[in-house]
């Protein structure tokens, strides 16, 4: 089944890229920053399995970028969901962001520290992320707190005023933060 995973570069080129172009990148509402389309990949290490190695992933993502540019975008920023990884740049990924900060993600100071630790790691670009928490009551009958609206505002203000200005002001990096709330009732982020 071509829809399950790319099954190599030719499947990616034949099925995935045209579908994404037709259904996402061609939509005038598609998210952009300064003319660059923005995309995020969950589980980038699966791509290594799908394309054989890091070079195969990079080749596929470079091809995707070239096709997206034909639509008039300046380019495509590709992020990966997860902590910074030494292989991220070799895969052709521009930065990482958190899916969430797990059970302690509701705590503003913990969230700040996780962001700072990932930024200070010096491994690629870390998109600052505010997590509402990770409340798996629907799956595990265990309830953990979610971040309060007040702390969410404080966290976003901290990112805007203290983190984003440290990034290159001419880059998409100084204009993007992630809100980790995936509208997933099983994880309590809605």
């Amino acid at each position: 089944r071509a829809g399950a995973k790319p099954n190599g570069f030719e499947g990616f080129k034949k099925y995935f890229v045209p579908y994404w172009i037709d259904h996402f990148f061609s939509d005038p509402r598609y998210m952009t920053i300064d003319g660059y389309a923005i995309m995020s990949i969950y589980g980038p290490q699966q791509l290594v399995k799908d394309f054989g190695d890091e070079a195969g992933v990079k080749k596929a993502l470079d091809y995707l970028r070239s096709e997206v540019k034909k639509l008039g975008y300046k380019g495509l920023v590709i992020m990966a969901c997860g902590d910074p990884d030494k292989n991220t740049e070799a895969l052709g990924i521009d930065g990482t962001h958190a899916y969430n900060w797990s059970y302690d993600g509701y705590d503003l100071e913990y969230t700040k520290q996780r962001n700072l630790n990932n930024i200070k790691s010096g491994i690629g670009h870390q998109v600052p992320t505010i997590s509402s928490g990770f409340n798996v009551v629907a799956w595990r009958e265990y309830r953990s707190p979610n971040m309060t609206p007040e702390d969410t505002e404080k966290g976003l203000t901290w990112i805007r005023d203290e983190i984003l200005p440290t990034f290159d002001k001419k880059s998409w990096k100084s204009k993007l933060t992630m809100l980790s709330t995936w509208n997933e009732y099983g994880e309590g982020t809605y």
Side-chain angles (χ1 to χ4, degrees), residues 12 23 36 46 56-57 68 71 74 89 106 147 170 180 185:
F12 182 72
H23 295 285
Y36 289 85
Q46 177 62 44
V57 175
V68 167
L71 297 172
K74 288 183 182 175
E89 290 177 330
Y106 73 91
M147 187 177 280
K170 295 179 182 177
S180 174
Y185 288 105

Side-chain angles (χ1 to χ4, degrees), residues 51-70:
F51 295 110
D53 58 20
E54 292 170 349
V57 175
K58 184 169 183 338
K59 175 184 174 184
L61 296 182
D62 286 347
Y63 174 76
L64 175 61
R65 283 187 172 95
S66 70
E67 293 301 298
V68 167
K69 280 184 88 169
K70 291 177 185 177

Side-chain angles (χ1 to χ4, degrees), residues 32-38 73-75 169-175:
T32 63
I33 296 177
D34 296 335
Y36 289 85
I38 307 294
Y73 293 103
K74 288 183 182 175
K169 291 173 185 38
K170 295 179 182 177
S171 169
W172 62 272
K173 296 173 183 178
S174 68
K175 300 173 184 177

Side-chain angles (χ1 to χ4, degrees), residues 40-164:
S40 180
I41 299 169
Y42 181 83
Q45 291 310 316
Q46 177 62 44
L47 294 176
V48 175
K49 295 175 187 172
D50 296 336
F51 295 110
D53 58 20
E54 292 170 349
V57 175
K58 184 169 183 338
K59 175 184 174 184
L61 296 182
D62 286 347
Y63 174 76
L64 175 61
R65 283 187 172 95
S66 70
E67 293 301 298
V68 167
K69 280 184 88 169
K70 291 177 185 177
L71 297 172
Y73 293 103
K74 288 183 182 175
L76 175 63
V77 172
I78 301 175
M79 299 178 296
C81 190
D83 285 329
D85 182 290
K86 61 182 176 50
N87 299 326
T88 301
E89 290 177 330
L91 297 173
I93 293 172
D94 301 302
T96 57
H97 62 84
Y99 177 75
N100 63 44
W101 297 119
S102 195
Y103 297 106
D104 294 321
Y106 73 91
D107 180 272
L108 179 58
E109 293 309 312
Y110 177 84
T111 293
K112 285 181 175 181
Q113 197 57 56
R114 285 297 304 269
N115 276 289
L116 290 172
N117 289 346
N118 281 355
I119 292 167
K120 289 177 183 175
S121 76
I123 303 172
H125 175 69
Q126 172 68 39
V127 176
T129 305
I130 293 294
S131 172
S132 61
F134 188 70
N135 184 347
V136 292
V137 67
W139 289 344
R140 299 194 184 118
E141 299 179 3
Y142 170 78
R143 183 178 298 281
S144 55
N146 281 340
M147 187 177 280
T148 65
E150 295 80 16
D151 278 352
T152 300
E153 180 180 8
K154 288 176 187 174
L156 291 171
T157 301
W158 172 75
I159 288 172
R160 181 194 67 202
D161 296 347
E162 297 185 37
I163 299 301
L164 293 179

